[in-house]
Amino acid sequence: MIIWQKEKKRGMDKIETYRFTVEPFHVDFTGKLFMGVLGNHLLNAAGHHSHNRGWGIDHLNEAHYTWVLSRLCIQLDEWPRQYDEVEVETWVESVMKLFTERNFLIRNAKTGAIYGYARSIWAMIDVQTRQPANLLTLKDGDILRYVIPAEEKPCPIEKFSARVRMSAEAEIRRVATHYSDVDINGHINSIKYIEHLLDLFPRKQFERFHIFRFEIAYKAESYLGDTLYLLSEKQEGIIDGEVYQAEIRKHMGRPEKPEGETVVQAKIVWECVELLPF
Amino acid sequence: MIIWQKEKKRGMDKIETYRFTVEPFHVDFTGKLFMGVLGNHLLNAAGHHSHNRGWGIDHLNEAHYTWVLSRLCIQLDEWPRQYDEVEVETWVESVMKLFTERNFLIRNAKTGAIYGYARSIWAMIDVQTRQPANLLTLKDGDILRYVIPAEEKPCPIEKFSARVRMSAEAEIRRVATHYSDVDINGHINSIKYIEHLLDLFPRKQFERFHIFRFEIAYKAESYLGDTLYLLSEKQEGIIDGEVYQAEIRKHMGRPEKPEGETVVQAKIVWECVELLPF
């Protein structure tokens, strides 16, 4: 807990702590927190951090701007389980002209044990023109006041590495989108994509493995009523697990876009629950 | 707030108050809280109430018992919206040998304005024999200490009325079940059924109406991998809305059960968002 104390001195006002309890319906059949629910809590933590520093969607909407999640990457050594009290810390690692990097630390609120970390990349767009805003000049660069460089507050997981190139052998599932899939803007919500992707895997995948690392890149919006095409394939076997790549496309086979437009791309690193004897 | 004060005198220890915030991803495209998310919060409130009185699943599992939700009915005059702070009160209205009635009041935590009420019916079963337990003798009838009769704490919405008789004209949608649908027991979770049922309705249904009353009866369990058949049809038009009945079945067309086994039945009363001029 020494690191924690140092952080306090360095300016805790840059870090927001968000707390949640792992509810009964928020764990999967193995008793572990659903990835989608964790993702939702991370986005809530991000929302509170932004809001409390004058950068929330509620402030920005007045000025016709909104945050858009571009990438999310979660890596956990251990998964929160039913009734665990979880604390999420979130902070901004860097700000560039068009993107900002926001990191997360996820720990057990009672024991302090760290489950893992997450990284995310966000852009800000003008909701009318859909053009990206310049983060460095908006509000006179106010956002820079909240940056904590990696040297001061490390996020010890790799940055995004997803190189997704689906082959012709990828399995494809067609999914219709419905009422429950969409958010207040009528877009399929970022979390539902995660659920649809994990629903591609059979029961035995979750029995034999747990997810060590999950990366997702949001490339385009899809809307209520769109038909989505979910592609997935094993990229490589690793000594203690499996790596899958996956992609969601829409308008598959539409004449002008024969391959379909890419909506999201993902990479999932599965780790054996138990190491099998050689 | 006079009623509230009287309740306090009558023994607040029988009532549990549970609070939540309506999160951004928990509202639909009209900005209203998803029915499924509300249902989840009600079940959490019930869980806390039971737990804090020695009747939680954590206590009961040791004695090989568990609560089973049999019916849930939600009726709202107004729907919570994004960022609303919501308070749920829950209490036990009655206990019979095999069932107990638990009610809910749902209000805005800031203004005190009541959104609506909910009713639920629960049984307790022995997890090994799957036989119902006698609630009146379990723990020497301790549960009776928590009953607040309807005269003292009214729940001013009708009891369950759902009479579901699907006709041959009902529309049918086949839904495969996946990883995200199931709870820690491997059962399709009670909330996911609600989501699947509401996903039967097209966008315009939610634009023209909101749900005034939703009733669901849980008849049988279904499991990860089961194929579900969702039936729905309009039961009647009413002056300011529409009433639908719906049913979920499994093993549709299996030789020994040609009609399929009923998993849940539901009734949905839709109310016009705006009264159209005559």
Side-chain angles (χ1 to χ4, degrees):
Chain A
M1 300 300 283
I2 295 162
I3 296 170
W4 168 257
Q5 303 229 329
K6 270 204 249 168
E7 279 161 18
K8 220 164 186 166
K9 277 184 236 147
R10 274 172 186 151
M12 275 298 293
D13 63 317
K14 295 180 177 176
I15 300 171
E16 183 87 17
T17 304
Y18 170 91
R19 204 168 164 147
F20 69 92
T21 304
V22 180
E23 300 176 4
F25 279 166
H26 288 169
V27 297
D28 69 9
F29 72 86
T30 72
K32 294 195 278 278
L33 180 62
F34 278 117
M35 172 69 78
V37 175
L38 174 57
N40 185 40
H41 285 304
L42 298 183
L43 300 187
N44 280 341
H48 286 286
H49 181 278
S50 305
H51 172 84
N52 293 338
R53 286 155 188 81
W55 282 84
I57 288 177
D58 42 345
H59 303 104
L60 297 165
N61 266 346
E62 289 167 30
H64 307 300
Y65 290 109
T66 193
W67 286 111
V68 174
L69 178 61
S70 170
R71 287 172 174 232
L72 178 65
C73 161
I74 299 172
Q75 185 174 318
L76 299 183
D77 290 316
E78 204 189 322
W79 277 85
R81 293 183 163 269
Q82 193 168 6
Y83 299 122
D84 281 358
E85 297 281 338
V86 180
E87 236 167 41
V88 175
E89 279 189 357
T90 182
W91 68 95
V92 174
E93 181 178 293
S94 74
V95 179
M96 293 143 284
K97 189 174 163 190
L98 301 181
F99 291 102
T100 173
E101 289 180 290
R102 169 184 289 289
N103 299 338
F104 304 87
L105 177 156
I106 303 144
R107 73 169 153 244
N108 186 301
K110 282 190 182 152
T111 66
I114 293 172
Y115 296 112
Y117 293 84
R119 292 179 168 273
S120 62
I121 296 181
W122 302 74
M124 184 166 290
I125 62 160
D126 183 313
V127 290
Q128 288 164 339
T129 65
R130 308 301 289 178
Q131 291 301 304
N134 184 338
L135 292 167
L136 299 174
T137 57
L138 214 63
K139 295 177 82 171
D140 295 327
D142 168 85
I143 198 170
L144 294 166
R145 296 203 294 134
Y146 303 109
V147 174
I148 315 183
E151 309 84 73
E152 277 184 41
K153 176 81 178 166
C155 183
I157 62 169
E158 269 181 51
K159 296 206 176 189
F160 299 92
S161 63
R163 289 185 112 247
V164 171
R165 301 257 186 285
M166 305 308 298
S167 82
E169 277 74 49
E171 281 192 56
I172 300 181
R173 181 187 291 169
R174 212 176 71 156
V175 171
T177 55
H178 302 296
Y179 166 72
S180 300
D181 288 307
V182 301
D183 63 18
I184 197 168
N185 302 308
H187 302 149
I188 308 303
N189 94 43
S190 323
I191 297 308
K192 283 286 173 175
Y193 290 124
I194 299 176
E195 289 184 19
H196 284 305
L197 285 173
L198 295 181
D199 278 349
L200 291 173
F201 294 90
R203 181 184 185 108
K204 71 172 190 320
Q205 187 76 14
F206 297 92
E207 288 167 344
R208 294 180 53 213
F209 303 98
H210 60 231
I211 297 170
F212 167 65
R213 182 173 166 98
F214 183 91
E215 292 185 29
I216 185 165
Y218 298 96
K219 301 281 189 173
E221 299 284 6
S222 69
Y223 305 89
L224 178 49
D226 280 353
T227 299
L228 301 179
Y229 298 84
L230 281 63
L231 294 80
S232 67
E233 68 184 329
K234 200 195 281 193
Q235 214 172 11
E236 52 178 322
I238 48 179
I239 188 155
D240 56 351
E242 291 179 342
V243 181
Y244 272 79
Q245 58 176 349
E247 190 165 304
I248 299 180
R249 297 182 192 160
K250 60 178 176 179
H251 310 305
M252 196 82 152
R254 203 172 53 168
E256 66 276 26
K257 290 221 175 196
E259 295 285 301
E261 183 179 4
T262 299
V263 178
V264 311
Q265 291 185 319
K267 187 173 154 186
I268 306 161
V269 183
W270 298 87
E271 198 175 54
C272 288
V273 172
E274 289 177 16
L275 265 188
L276 298 170
F278 280 93
Chain B
M1 302 303 284
I2 296 163
I3 296 170
W4 167 257
Q5 305 231 325
K6 270 203 249 169
E7 280 164 17
K8 220 163 185 168
K9 278 184 235 149
R10 274 172 186 152
M12 275 298 292
D13 63 317
K14 294 180 178 177
I15 299 171
E16 182 87 17
T17 304
Y18 170 92
R19 204 168 165 148
F20 69 92
T21 304
V22 180
E23 300 174 4
F25 278 167
H26 289 170
V27 297
D28 70 9
F29 72 86
T30 72
K32 294 194 279 278
L33 180 62
F34 277 118
M35 172 69 78
V37 175
L38 175 57
N40 185 40
H41 285 304
L42 298 182
L43 300 188
N44 281 340
H48 286 286
H49 181 278
S50 306
H51 172 83
N52 293 338
R53 285 153 190 83
W55 282 83
I57 288 177
D58 43 344
H59 303 103
L60 297 164
N61 266 347
E62 289 167 28
H64 307 300
Y65 291 109
T66 192
W67 287 111
V68 174
L69 178 61
S70 169
R71 287 171 174 232
L72 179 66
C73 161
I74 299 172
Q75 185 175 317
L76 299 184
D77 289 316
E78 204 189 323
W79 278 85
R81 292 183 166 269
Q82 192 169 8
Y83 299 122
D84 280 358
E85 296 282 337
V86 180
E87 234 167 43
V88 175
E89 279 190 356
T90 183
W91 67 96
V92 174
E93 181 178 294
S94 74
V95 180
M96 293 144 284
K97 189 175 162 191
L98 301 182
F99 290 102
T100 175
E101 290 180 290
R102 169 184 290 288
N103 299 338
F104 303 88
L105 177 156
I106 303 142
R107 73 168 153 245
N108 186 301
K110 282 191 183 151
T111 66
I114 293 172
Y115 296 113
Y117 293 85
R119 291 180 169 275
S120 62
I121 296 181
W122 301 74
M124 184 168 288
I125 62 160
D126 183 312
V127 289
Q128 287 164 340
T129 66
R130 308 300 290 178
Q131 290 301 303
N134 184 338
L135 292 168
L136 299 173
T137 56
L138 214 62
K139 294 176 84 170
D140 294 326
D142 167 85
I143 198 171
L144 294 166
R145 295 202 294 135
Y146 303 108
V147 174
I148 315 183
E151 309 85 73
E152 279 183 40
K153 176 80 178 166
C155 183
I157 63 168
E158 269 182 52
K159 296 204 175 189
F160 299 91
S161 63
R163 289 184 111 247
V164 172
R165 300 256 186 289
M166 305 309 297
S167 82
E169 276 75 50
E171 281 192 56
I172 300 181
R173 180 187 292 170
R174 212 176 72 155
V175 171
T177 56
H178 302 295
Y179 166 72
S180 301
D181 288 308
V182 300
D183 63 17
I184 197 167
N185 302 308
H187 302 149
I188 308 303
N189 97 42
S190 322
I191 298 308
K192 282 287 173 174
Y193 290 124
I194 299 177
E195 289 184 19
H196 284 305
L197 285 173
L198 294 181
D199 278 348
L200 291 172
F201 294 91
R203 181 183 184 107
K204 72 173 191 316
Q205 187 76 14
F206 297 92
E207 287 168 343
R208 293 180 54 211
F209 304 98
H210 61 230
I211 298 170
F212 168 64
R213 183 174 165 95
F214 183 91
E215 292 186 29
I216 185 165
Y218 298 95
K219 302 281 189 172
E221 298 285 6
S222 69
Y223 305 89
L224 178 51
D226 281 354
T227 299
L228 301 178
Y229 298 84
L230 281 63
L231 294 80
S232 68
E233 68 183 328
K234 200 196 280 194
Q235 215 172 13
E236 53 179 321
I238 49 179
I239 188 155
D240 57 350
E242 292 179 341
V243 181
Y244 273 80
Q245 56 177 349
E247 192 166 301
I248 299 180
R249 296 182 193 160
K250 61 178 175 179
H251 311 304
M252 196 82 153
R254 203 172 54 166
E256 67 276 25
K257 288 222 177 195
E259 295 286 302
E261 184 181 2
T262 299
V263 178
V264 312
Q265 291 185 318
K267 188 173 153 184
I268 306 161
V269 183
W270 298 87
E271 198 174 53
C272 288
V273 172
E274 289 177 14
L275 265 188
L276 298 169
F278 281 92

